[in-house]
Amino acid sequence: MFRIFLAVIGAGLIILVGGALILGAFPPNPQPKPVEKVLPNDKFAPPR
């Protein structure tokens, strides 16, 4: 029973280390987002 537990823990660690190495070698590209410009809306402002 203890040997199976160690095998599962070891496999999990190998998967985590492998995933970290793959992400380090091939990082994902950042997702481009459009720039949203906000214009002041004076239409509903109180009169000055």
Side-chain angles (χ1 to χ4, degrees), residues 11-47:
L13 286 175
I14 290 173
I15 290 172
L16 285 175
V17 170
L21 289 175
I22 290 174
L23 281 177
F26 305 103
N29 294 328
Q31 297 296 322
K33 294 184 179 179
V35 177
E36 297 180 11
K37 294 185 178 181
V38 178
L39 300 176
N41 187 359
D42 295 335
K43 185 176 181 181
F44 300 107

